[in-house]
Amino acid sequence: MADGILDTRGNGMTKSQVMDIAMDMGRILLKSGAETSRVEDTMMRFCRSHGYYDLNVFCTPTVIILGDESAHGKSRVFRVRWRAIDLGLIMDINNLSYNFKPWGMTYGKAKEWMRERIRRSHPYGNLLVSLASGVGSAAFAMLLGGNWHDFVAAFLCGFAAMGVLKLLNKLHPTAFWENFIAGLVIGFIALACCKADRNCTMQNIIVGALMPFLPGLPFTNGVRDYIGGDLLSGNSRIAEAVLFALSIAVGLAFAVKVWTWGGLR
């Protein structure tokens, strides 16, 4: 009873089980691109809905700490090494935290529900994602005033850049190198298209192709963390967004430099 393992407080779940599910919720939310304030709020709300007010959460973009402030309490730590964007998964975990009791879930059912939801969180294959990136890039190029030559070239840039990143996923490159490679591929293909077709506009092609890779969500989450009072997370996310944008620019600059080294204009 001292460590809370047997303390169910009438809710059918032990403190250890509540901490386990809360940590799973936080882990899924943070890996799916949620802001740290949302992660902390979801975990705290779930713990307190089960009567455990002595549990506290500290979250940054790379680590979650769930602490038990009671006597002889234990803490749990989870290190987040990679993050993606899955707004649907964030919505489902939020719904779970609000409706856990009305849905009548037990510990086992909740674990199975989360495992099943993670398995269904990536319904789109690499080819479809690459096609969507290409279409988005082409549409942005047209919005910027490009012509149909720019449309085709931007589609090729966005499709190829995303396709290369999907192929390299097994190597688990860091976010800096992912964006660097994307900028490199976009730069080379844009230069090649403009070399082959004089009707192409370099600026429209490059800017349009870069749009799907810009770190808009990390920057927005950083601002929201600032507004929520999480200065550490706000600084981290905004610095991350700036680094992502810089890595894309470095990749583009490197592609142009290599192109000129080859004697091409």
Side-chain angles (χ1 to χ4, degrees):
M1 181 71 72
D3 60 3
I5 297 300
L6 300 177
D7 184 10
T8 63
R9 302 195 184 182
N11 56 34
M13 292 177 59
T14 65
K15 177 181 281 190
S16 178
Q17 289 174 337
V18 170
M19 293 178 69
D20 190 22
I21 293 179
M23 182 61 81
D24 283 347
M25 287 180 174
R27 173 177 59 85
I28 295 171
L29 286 173
L30 196 59
K31 281 189 172 184
S32 300
E35 60 273 23
T36 55
S37 57
R38 182 188 298 274
V39 176
E40 291 181 349
D41 176 70
T42 300
M43 295 176 67
M44 290 296 297
R45 182 172 59 249
F46 179 79
C47 294
R48 289 174 179 174
S49 69
H50 287 78
Y52 297 110
Y53 292 89
D54 50 2
L55 297 178
N56 213 336
V57 181
F58 175 73
C59 179
T60 73
T62 56
V63 68
I64 303 174
I65 301 175
L66 177 59
D68 184 356
E69 298 178 350
S70 63
H72 309 290
K74 298 180 180 179
S75 299
R76 301 191 181 193
V77 179
F78 184 83
R79 179 76 163 85
V80 178
R81 301 188 180 277
W82 60 267
R83 294 182 300 279
I85 298 175
D86 194 330
L87 300 182
L89 196 53
I90 293 174
M91 180 187 68
D92 287 341
I93 295 299
N94 270 336
N95 287 338
L96 176 65
S97 68
Y98 277 108
N99 299 299
F100 189 88
K101 287 187 175 181
W103 287 353
M105 280 193 172
T106 61
Y107 172 77
K109 288 181 179 180
K111 297 285 285 187
E112 180 59 32
W113 185 92
M114 286 188 283
R115 283 194 294 266
E116 178 61 26
R117 186 60 189 86
I118 292 173
R119 282 196 293 267
R120 296 188 290 107
S121 63
H122 302 289
Y124 309 113
N126 293 342
L127 178 60
L128 188 57
V129 173
S130 300
L131 286 172
S133 176
V135 171
S137 299
F140 277 116
M142 293 294 285
L143 286 174
L144 294 170
N147 52 40
W148 287 104
H149 301 269
D150 299 334
F151 181 91
V152 175
F155 174 84
L156 292 175
C157 291
F159 176 80
M162 185 61 71
V164 169
L165 293 184
K166 292 299 181 181
L167 291 175
L168 295 176
N169 271 349
K170 294 181 180 179
L171 301 178
H172 301 292
T174 62
F176 178 89
W177 289 111
E178 282 186 349
N179 288 276
F180 174 85
I181 293 170
L184 191 69
V185 173
I186 290 170
F188 277 126
I189 295 180
L191 289 165
C193 290
C194 291
K195 180 72 174 178
D197 187 352
R198 294 181 179 272
N199 293 314
C200 289
T201 307
M202 178 74 69
Q203 292 87 346
N204 294 334
I205 296 170
I206 290 180
V207 175
L210 286 179
M211 286 298 181
F213 300 94
L214 292 180
L217 186 61
F219 185 83
T220 303
N221 284 345
V223 174
R224 292 189 65 179
D225 284 336
Y226 263 129
I227 295 174
D230 297 321
L231 302 182
L232 178 61
S233 296
N235 281 327
S236 300
R237 289 196 183 272
I238 291 177
E240 179 185 47
V242 172
L243 182 62
F244 287 173
L246 180 63
S247 63
I248 296 175
V250 171
L252 278 169
F254 187 76
V256 173
K257 194 65 176 178
V258 171
W259 187 269
T260 56
W261 282 346
L264 299 172
R265 298 182 60 184

mmCIF file of all heavy atoms in Angstrom, residues 198-223:
data_model
loop_
_atom_site.group_PDB
_atom_site.id
_atom_site.type_symbol
_atom_site.label_atom_id
_atom_site.label_comp_id
_atom_site.label_asym_id
_atom_site.label_seq_id
_atom_site.Cartn_x
_atom_site.Cartn_y
_atom_site.Cartn_z
ATOM 1 N N ARG A 198 13.190 26.576 -70.824
ATOM 2 C CA ARG A 198 13.393 27.998 -70.547
ATOM 3 C C ARG A 198 12.129 28.682 -70.047
ATOM 4 O O ARG A 198 12.182 29.818 -69.565
ATOM 5 C CB ARG A 198 13.899 28.697 -71.806
ATOM 6 C CG ARG A 198 15.281 28.263 -72.245
ATOM 7 C CD ARG A 198 15.734 29.019 -73.478
ATOM 8 N NE ARG A 198 17.069 28.600 -73.874
ATOM 9 C CZ ARG A 198 18.195 29.145 -73.420
ATOM 10 N NH1 ARG A 198 18.124 30.122 -72.521
ATOM 11 N NH2 ARG A 198 19.373 28.718 -73.827
ATOM 12 N N ASN A 199 10.976 28.013 -70.151
ATOM 13 C CA ASN A 199 9.729 28.602 -69.671
ATOM 14 C C ASN A 199 9.520 28.418 -68.166
ATOM 15 O O ASN A 199 8.552 28.930 -67.612
ATOM 16 C CB ASN A 199 8.547 27.998 -70.419
ATOM 17 C CG ASN A 199 8.536 28.370 -71.893
ATOM 18 O OD1 ASN A 199 8.736 29.530 -72.239
ATOM 19 N ND2 ASN A 199 8.320 27.398 -72.765
ATOM 20 N N CYS A 200 10.402 27.663 -67.529
ATOM 21 C CA CYS A 200 10.300 27.448 -66.081
ATOM 22 C C CYS A 200 10.835 28.652 -65.322
ATOM 23 O O CYS A 200 11.778 29.323 -65.763
ATOM 24 C CB CYS A 200 11.079 26.195 -65.674
ATOM 25 S SG CYS A 200 10.323 24.648 -66.220
ATOM 26 N N THR A 201 10.237 28.915 -64.167
ATOM 27 C CA THR A 201 10.666 30.008 -63.295
ATOM 28 C C THR A 201 11.243 29.414 -62.019
ATOM 29 O O THR A 201 10.525 28.766 -61.245
ATOM 30 C CB THR A 201 9.480 30.929 -62.954
ATOM 31 O OG1 THR A 201 8.839 31.341 -64.159
ATOM 32 C CG2 THR A 201 9.964 32.155 -62.200
ATOM 33 N N MET A 202 12.521 29.651 -61.811
ATOM 34 C CA MET A 202 13.234 29.024 -60.695
ATOM 35 C C MET A 202 12.589 29.338 -59.350
ATOM 36 O O MET A 202 12.372 28.452 -58.524
ATOM 37 C CB MET A 202 14.686 29.482 -60.696
ATOM 38 C CG MET A 202 15.516 28.939 -59.550
ATOM 39 S SD MET A 202 15.912 27.199 -59.757
ATOM 40 C CE MET A 202 17.032 27.297 -61.142
ATOM 41 N N GLN A 203 12.242 30.609 -59.126
ATOM 42 C CA GLN A 203 11.711 31.003 -57.825
ATOM 43 C C GLN A 203 10.395 30.298 -57.516
ATOM 44 O O GLN A 203 10.178 29.809 -56.405
ATOM 45 C CB GLN A 203 11.511 32.525 -57.781
ATOM 46 C CG GLN A 203 12.805 33.326 -57.807
ATOM 47 C CD GLN A 203 13.285 33.595 -59.226
ATOM 48 O OE1 GLN A 203 12.802 32.970 -60.179
ATOM 49 N NE2 GLN A 203 14.231 34.504 -59.367
ATOM 50 N N ASN A 204 9.500 30.269 -58.480
ATOM 51 C CA ASN A 204 8.201 29.635 -58.232
ATOM 52 C C ASN A 204 8.341 28.144 -57.967
ATOM 53 O O ASN A 204 7.644 27.585 -57.109
ATOM 54 C CB ASN A 204 7.283 29.856 -59.438
ATOM 55 C CG ASN A 204 6.913 31.319 -59.621
ATOM 56 O OD1 ASN A 204 6.914 32.092 -58.675
ATOM 57 N ND2 ASN A 204 6.613 31.710 -60.849
ATOM 58 N N ILE A 205 9.234 27.499 -58.687
ATOM 59 C CA ILE A 205 9.418 26.057 -58.524
ATOM 60 C C ILE A 205 9.976 25.741 -57.146
ATOM 61 O O ILE A 205 9.463 24.879 -56.416
ATOM 62 C CB ILE A 205 10.352 25.505 -59.621
ATOM 63 C CG1 ILE A 205 9.714 25.678 -61.002
ATOM 64 C CG2 ILE A 205 10.665 24.032 -59.370
ATOM 65 C CD1 ILE A 205 10.654 25.379 -62.138
ATOM 66 N N ILE A 206 11.027 26.437 -56.764
ATOM 67 C CA ILE A 206 11.686 26.139 -55.493
ATOM 68 C C ILE A 206 10.780 26.469 -54.310
ATOM 69 O O ILE A 206 10.614 25.645 -53.393
ATOM 70 C CB ILE A 206 13.019 26.906 -55.395
ATOM 71 C CG1 ILE A 206 14.032 26.328 -56.379
ATOM 72 C CG2 ILE A 206 13.564 26.842 -53.973
ATOM 73 C CD1 ILE A 206 15.374 27.018 -56.366
ATOM 74 N N VAL A 207 10.176 27.650 -54.314
ATOM 75 C CA VAL A 207 9.324 28.038 -53.189
ATOM 76 C C VAL A 207 8.119 27.105 -53.089
ATOM 77 O O VAL A 207 7.723 26.675 -51.996
ATOM 78 C CB VAL A 207 8.884 29.504 -53.327
ATOM 79 C CG1 VAL A 207 7.899 29.864 -52.215
ATOM 80 C CG2 VAL A 207 10.085 30.420 -53.274
ATOM 81 N N GLY A 208 7.508 26.776 -54.229
ATOM 82 C CA GLY A 208 6.371 25.868 -54.208
ATOM 83 C C GLY A 208 6.744 24.498 -53.682
ATOM 84 O O GLY A 208 6.000 23.898 -52.882
ATOM 85 N N ALA A 209 7.904 23.981 -54.106
ATOM 86 C CA ALA A 209 8.326 22.647 -53.672
ATOM 87 C C ALA A 209 8.720 22.614 -52.200
ATOM 88 O O ALA A 209 8.627 21.564 -51.548
ATOM 89 C CB ALA A 209 9.489 22.173 -54.538
ATOM 90 N N LEU A 210 9.146 23.756 -51.670
ATOM 91 C CA LEU A 210 9.569 23.793 -50.265
ATOM 92 C C LEU A 210 8.390 23.810 -49.297
ATOM 93 O O LEU A 210 8.546 23.435 -48.128
ATOM 94 C CB LEU A 210 10.436 25.028 -50.010
ATOM 95 C CG LEU A 210 11.857 25.013 -50.559
ATOM 96 C CD1 LEU A 210 12.548 26.324 -50.231
ATOM 97 C CD2 LEU A 210 12.649 23.848 -49.996
ATOM 98 N N MET A 211 7.226 24.240 -49.745
ATOM 99 C CA MET A 211 6.100 24.435 -48.839
ATOM 100 C C MET A 211 5.740 23.192 -48.015
ATOM 101 O O MET A 211 5.504 23.300 -46.801
ATOM 102 C CB MET A 211 4.879 24.923 -49.621
ATOM 103 C CG MET A 211 4.972 26.361 -50.055
ATOM 104 S SD MET A 211 5.090 27.479 -48.641
ATOM 105 C CE MET A 211 5.138 29.063 -49.472
ATOM 106 N N PRO A 212 5.664 21.985 -48.597
ATOM 107 C CA PRO A 212 5.313 20.816 -47.767
ATOM 108 C C PRO A 212 6.354 20.464 -46.717
ATOM 109 O O PRO A 212 6.060 19.682 -45.806
ATOM 110 C CB PRO A 212 5.186 19.682 -48.810
ATOM 111 C CG PRO A 212 4.931 20.365 -50.102
ATOM 112 C CD PRO A 212 5.717 21.636 -50.038
ATOM 113 N N PHE A 213 7.555 21.034 -46.820
ATOM 114 C CA PHE A 213 8.629 20.674 -45.888
ATOM 115 C C PHE A 213 8.904 21.754 -44.852
ATOM 116 O O PHE A 213 9.746 21.555 -43.971
ATOM 117 C CB PHE A 213 9.923 20.398 -46.675
ATOM 118 C CG PHE A 213 9.800 19.278 -47.659
ATOM 119 C CD1 PHE A 213 9.477 19.539 -48.984
ATOM 120 C CD2 PHE A 213 9.988 17.966 -47.272
ATOM 121 C CE1 PHE A 213 9.356 18.511 -49.895
ATOM 122 C CE2 PHE A 213 9.862 16.925 -48.174
ATOM 123 C CZ PHE A 213 9.543 17.200 -49.491
ATOM 124 N N LEU A 214 8.210 22.882 -44.930
ATOM 125 C CA LEU A 214 8.455 23.952 -43.974
ATOM 126 C C LEU A 214 7.910 23.571 -42.595
ATOM 127 O O LEU A 214 6.843 22.965 -42.485
ATOM 128 C CB LEU A 214 7.813 25.249 -44.455
ATOM 129 C CG LEU A 214 8.446 25.885 -45.703
ATOM 130 C CD1 LEU A 214 7.719 27.158 -46.074
ATOM 131 C CD2 LEU A 214 9.930 26.163 -45.491
ATOM 132 N N PRO A 215 8.619 23.934 -41.524
ATOM 133 C CA PRO A 215 8.234 23.517 -40.154
ATOM 134 C C PRO A 215 7.179 24.427 -39.552
ATOM 135 O O PRO A 215 7.406 25.063 -38.522
ATOM 136 C CB PRO A 215 9.558 23.599 -39.395
ATOM 137 C CG PRO A 215 10.299 24.709 -40.084
ATOM 138 C CD PRO A 215 9.919 24.627 -41.544
ATOM 139 N N GLY A 216 6.011 24.489 -40.167
ATOM 140 C CA GLY A 216 4.967 25.366 -39.646
ATOM 141 C C GLY A 216 4.399 24.891 -38.325
ATOM 142 O O GLY A 216 4.176 25.687 -37.406
ATOM 143 N N LEU A 217 4.176 23.568 -38.196
ATOM 144 C CA LEU A 217 3.599 23.052 -36.953
ATOM 145 C C LEU A 217 4.550 23.194 -35.762
ATOM 146 O O LEU A 217 4.109 23.620 -34.684
ATOM 147 C CB LEU A 217 3.179 21.597 -37.147
ATOM 148 C CG LEU A 217 2.427 20.972 -35.971
ATOM 149 C CD1 LEU A 217 1.128 21.724 -35.706
ATOM 150 C CD2 LEU A 217 2.119 19.502 -36.247
ATOM 151 N N PRO A 218 5.846 22.843 -35.873
ATOM 152 C CA PRO A 218 6.739 23.069 -34.722
ATOM 153 C C PRO A 218 6.787 24.529 -34.281
ATOM 154 O O PRO A 218 6.807 24.815 -33.077
ATOM 155 C CB PRO A 218 8.104 22.600 -35.250
ATOM 156 C CG PRO A 218 7.785 21.592 -36.295
ATOM 157 C CD PRO A 218 6.533 22.099 -36.945
ATOM 158 N N PHE A 219 6.785 25.453 -35.241
ATOM 159 C CA PHE A 219 6.818 26.866 -34.862
ATOM 160 C C PHE A 219 5.528 27.267 -34.151
ATOM 161 O O PHE A 219 5.560 27.965 -33.129
ATOM 162 C CB PHE A 219 7.026 27.728 -36.109
ATOM 163 C CG PHE A 219 7.182 29.198 -35.809
ATOM 164 C CD1 PHE A 219 8.420 29.699 -35.439
ATOM 165 C CD2 PHE A 219 6.104 30.059 -35.885
ATOM 166 C CE1 PHE A 219 8.575 31.050 -35.151
ATOM 167 C CE2 PHE A 219 6.244 31.401 -35.594
ATOM 168 C CZ PHE A 219 7.486 31.902 -35.234
ATOM 169 N N THR A 220 4.384 26.822 -34.685
ATOM 170 C CA THR A 220 3.100 27.134 -34.052
ATOM 171 C C THR A 220 3.016 26.547 -32.646
ATOM 172 O O THR A 220 2.543 27.207 -31.712
ATOM 173 C CB THR A 220 1.948 26.596 -34.907
ATOM 174 O OG1 THR A 220 2.033 27.157 -36.225
ATOM 175 C CG2 THR A 220 0.603 26.957 -34.300
ATOM 176 N N ASN A 221 3.486 25.306 -32.493
ATOM 177 C CA ASN A 221 3.478 24.686 -31.168
ATOM 178 C C ASN A 221 4.388 25.436 -30.205
ATOM 179 O O ASN A 221 4.086 25.539 -29.006
ATOM 180 C CB ASN A 221 3.915 23.234 -31.265
ATOM 181 C CG ASN A 221 2.828 22.336 -31.823
ATOM 182 O OD1 ASN A 221 1.667 22.726 -31.887
ATOM 183 N ND2 ASN A 221 3.191 21.142 -32.241
ATOM 184 N N GLY A 222 5.513 25.928 -30.720
ATOM 185 C CA GLY A 222 6.397 26.707 -29.866
ATOM 186 C C GLY A 222 5.733 27.969 -29.352
ATOM 187 O O GLY A 222 5.853 28.323 -28.172
ATOM 188 N N VAL A 223 5.008 28.670 -30.235
ATOM 189 C CA VAL A 223 4.296 29.876 -29.819
ATOM 190 C C VAL A 223 3.201 29.534 -28.810
ATOM 191 O O VAL A 223 3.012 30.223 -27.811
ATOM 192 C CB VAL A 223 3.702 30.582 -31.051
ATOM 193 C CG1 VAL A 223 2.821 31.756 -30.627
ATOM 194 C CG2 VAL A 223 4.813 31.070 -31.971
#
